[in-house]
Amino acid sequence: MLILTRKSGEGVRIGEDISFVILEIKGNQVRIGIEAPKNTQVHRDEVYEKIKAENIKAAASTTENLQRLFTLWIDKRKGNEGGI
């Protein structure tokens, strides 16, 4: 991890497109202004972790649904084989 010391009003640049500025330091909180391309996702850590957990949950659900669909397909196929 790169650690930098900045004062209020000073900024940091990441590559050509992303920059942020320390807007205010108040007690143990820091207000940061971020400029990034619109297609760059910027989230607080806690929000990012929730999004990540929801995506994992949704992917697991899809796998579960595919498993159920496959089981139905196998059962239907067995039913058709017995009827022919």
Side-chain angles (χ1 to χ4, degrees), residues 14 19 28 33 45 48 50-51 55 59-60 63 65 71-72 74 80:
I14 300 172
S19 65
N28 64 353
D45 280 344
Y48 177 77
K50 284 183 182 175
I51 291 169
N55 284 341
T63 302
N65 288 340
T71 301
L72 286 171
I74 292 293
N80 284 342

Side-chain angles (χ1 to χ4, degrees), residues 30-42:
V30 178
R31 291 186 68 210
I32 301 170
I34 301 169
E35 288 189 36
K38 290 186 184 233
N39 62 350
T40 300
Q41 295 184 12
V42 178

Side-chain angles (χ1 to χ4, degrees), residues 57-73:
K57 188 175 164 185
S61 176
T62 300
T63 302
E64 185 179 304
N65 288 340
L66 284 173
Q67 187 84 27
R68 250 190 267 150
L69 183 61
F70 182 71
T71 301
L72 286 171
W73 180 73

